[in-house]
Amino acid sequence: MSKIAGHSNLLIMAYQNLIRYRGKSLAILIPLITVMAAASFMMFTRGGFVKDAQIAKQFLPDVTVQAIEAGRVGKISLGLIKKIEDIPHVKKVVARTWGYLPLKIGSVDTAYTLMGLDIDNLFVSSKLPWAIEKGAFLTAEDRRKAVLGQGVALSFNADVGDKIQIKDTLGNKGEFEVVGIFNNTVQIYSTDLILVSIDDARGFFNYSKDEASDLLVYADNPENADLIAREIAGRFRNIRVLTGKSLTDLVTEAFGRRGGTFQAMWLILLVTVLLLVWAQSAHISVDMSREIGILKAVGWQTGEIIEMKMMESLILSIGGTSAGILAGFVYALMGTPGISGYCLGCASIYPKFPVPVNCDFSSVALLFILGILPITAISAIPAWLAGIVDPDDTIRR
Amino acid sequence: MIKFDNITKSYRSGKVKIKALDDVSLAIKQGEFVLLNGPSGSGKTTFLNITGCLTRITSGRIWLADREISHFPDHFLSAIRREKFGFIFQQFNLISGYTTWENVSIPLLPMGVSDKMRKKRAMNLLEELNLETRADFYANELSGGEQQRAAVARALINDPEIILADEPLSNIDSENAKTVIAVLEKLKTKGKTIIISFHDSQPLITKLIDRTVYFDSGRIS
């Protein structure tokens, strides 16, 4: 009889044991699936936010410069453009004007962003066409035309070619023709966005020709962003300097904190499951201990008993973890119903904004390790403890 | 041959030390049918457990076929149990979640014997013990007598050289006792060593016994 056949028999018996003692199996399996589903949806959605932020980073300037007036962000003078362009490693400086506008959807007060860009000088325009799902990006000549984020398009029920009416809290009004709609690759940034020419934005927000909300600074090499930021901060007073990295870090950290809350909850749940597995395995002291004693008495080696018990745990934990990951993935794809507002932290802006999902090999591998290793180890210990005692002592217990 | 030299076995029950076996020396020849007799608590079961490597001695020495096994590590003792001994427990010790034939064939499982072969060998023994109709019953669905016969079948599934039986007739009626005795008789004719314990006299097996060893208060009297 081959050793492989022996292992194969132990595997079959382990599987049959799980069926035989199905009550005990389910008592471990159901909490395990729940915990792994929670862990996986959290990991996949956090991964989605991080991925979105990384993609969006391509469209962000290396450095953003804002003016500070009385401790708040104010209008910045375009006279600074030339001075900043004189700083070593600065390739281009582009003005941007933007602001928030109120929007009422049903009984919910929400907000969206009207942003005006200097299309003539836009440095990243070559990357933008693939961020557009429908229609086209703005051209330098476009006036009273807009590209909408998907959330705005849904809220206005607007499509390419439609006209939308907007107004701010001061009563400023404007009508824009929709020429394009952003796709969902950069939703964190684009979903609540109405992108127009900088002249239109200036007109809407009452900015003069030599004013903007902020200046977008592009470096000859992104590695030099910190250097440029330090130089700008050192040369000019009453300004705030933000690097592209700090902005993406802000987004990922914000969602990371929410993820952290779930992570803490998940850890508590995991510990609960492990205690449950331990309690079930420690049940060994009554029935299972006697069973192990009998198996040893009829000639089983301690190693064979531990192998069978570990196989039981492996089957259970692989099955539970796989089912949990799948459930978590489906829940994430469905938009984390019930907690999407908390996940996004901006539900008041656009309820239609879906939670981004990213499922990659490393996340799945990590989930499998977290789901399988502790449970297998924790259930093997009581079997080993019962297995190393003389069979007579184990049976008598 | 199995040889015991001055073996003792002590248990600790709370603060009290109990000497279950006290300076026992005995040699059992191959093919011998030995009856261990004596009142309850006299040390018969402890002696059988020590013989079957189910528990370790406190002091003394044990030889099995000229090899001293007194201080063998656990995995060697498991191998000896698997290859040499078949143990019939007084309390049957069947696993309740398994069927009768699964219980009988369980010693063969880690040895890599196929499911089909295990069932075949188990069924042969169950037929011999008039238990074939209960093959697919779970252990907890069997009567005491049926469980005892299933335990006998399990002890024989490995075709062991030495059979150890602790009060094997205590839970079965006279008809089934005859079946078990017939099996023991067959084993004796095959040259198997049989060590069996009873707390009272068993006229049904008198003709099979080569030697009777009397235990009293942990000693051979």
Side-chain angles (χ1 to χ4, degrees), chain A residues 3-287:
Chain A
K3 280 192 170 180
I4 293 172
H7 296 303
S8 164
N9 279 354
L10 292 177
L11 180 63
I12 293 166
M13 188 172 172
Y15 172 73
Q16 289 171 342
N17 280 349
L18 292 175
I19 310 266
R20 275 188 192 107
Y21 306 115
R22 58 183 74 88
K24 179 194 156 198
S25 304
L26 285 174
I28 295 171
L29 198 61
I30 291 169
L32 179 63
I33 290 173
T34 311
V35 165
M36 294 318 295
S40 53
F41 99 76
M42 177 199 80
M43 206 171 267
F44 296 153
T45 50
R46 188 179 188 281
F49 284 122
V50 171
K51 193 182 168 194
D52 266 21
Q54 293 301 326
I55 292 171
K57 198 178 170 184
Q58 298 175 62
F59 303 103
L60 292 176
D62 296 307
V63 178
T64 303
V65 183
Q66 295 173 330
I68 300 294
E69 288 172 11
R72 293 186 303 172
V73 176
K75 294 172 181 174
I76 194 163
S77 165
L78 299 192
L80 274 179
I81 290 179
K82 185 73 189 77
K83 291 175 185 171
I84 294 173
E85 279 180 339
D86 288 341
I87 292 172
H89 303 297
V90 172
K91 199 165 181 178
K92 200 166 191 78
V93 180
V94 182
R96 179 173 69 172
T97 298
W98 59 279
Y100 295 118
L101 300 172
L103 175 67
K104 202 171 180 79
I105 300 173
S107 61
V108 183
D109 286 321
T110 66
Y112 55 98
T113 310
L114 179 78
M115 183 182 286
L117 285 178
D118 184 356
I119 308 296
D120 282 333
N121 293 309
L122 198 62
F123 193 64
V124 290
S125 57
S126 61
K127 289 177 185 171
L128 281 168
W130 67 262
I132 301 293
E133 184 170 273
K134 250 176 155 181
F137 194 66
L138 295 170
T139 64
E141 293 75 33
D142 282 339
R143 293 293 178 272
R144 291 286 162 185
K145 290 185 177 173
V147 178
L148 307 184
Q150 289 200 353
V152 181
L154 276 168
S155 300
F156 279 94
N157 194 23
D159 206 344
V160 174
D162 292 347
K163 290 193 172 174
I164 56 167
Q165 293 277 348
I166 56 174
K167 65 175 181 180
D168 71 4
T169 47
L170 299 172
N172 296 323
K173 286 181 184 174
E175 187 180 76
F176 291 88
E177 181 192 340
V178 180
V179 293
I181 294 171
F182 283 108
N183 65 22
N184 60 7
T185 52
V186 286
Q187 288 211 91
I188 290 176
Y189 297 95
S190 70
T191 194
D192 67 335
L193 188 65
I194 299 174
L195 192 68
V196 298
S197 74
I198 194 163
D199 287 343
D200 285 341
R202 276 193 192 117
F204 194 84
F205 291 118
N206 296 321
Y207 277 55
S208 69
K209 277 273 180 189
D210 57 353
E211 287 174 335
S213 300
D214 45 29
L215 301 177
L216 314 180
V217 181
Y218 295 93
D220 57 359
N221 182 342
E223 296 289 315
N224 293 324
D226 285 339
L227 188 70
I228 293 168
R230 276 199 301 274
E231 190 63 31
I232 295 170
R235 282 194 194 189
F236 309 106
R237 296 183 65 188
N238 296 326
I239 55 153
R240 186 168 77 166
V241 184
L242 302 164
T243 60
K245 186 180 174 303
S246 67
L247 287 171
T248 49
D249 284 352
L250 193 71
V251 171
T252 49
E253 194 190 337
F255 292 112
R257 278 181 189 168
R258 292 187 182 93
T261 311
F262 284 113
Q263 206 162 2
M265 286 163 59
W266 174 74
L267 274 173
I268 293 166
L269 280 170
L270 182 68
V271 169
T272 311
V273 169
L274 290 177
L275 285 172
L276 190 73
V277 173
W278 175 261
Q280 289 291 336
S281 303
H283 188 55
I284 233 166
S285 58
V286 200
D287 287 339

Side-chain angles (χ1 to χ4, degrees), chain B residues 16 20 28 43 48 54 62 65 70 73 81 87 93 95 108 117 144 165 185 189 207 212:
Chain B
V16 185
I28 297 167
L48 275 176
L54 298 182
I62 305 171
S70 323
R81 284 194 293 270
F87 206 111
N93 286 334
I95 301 173
L108 303 176
M117 184 56 72
E185 196 170 0
T189 56
K207 60 175 181 177
T212 301

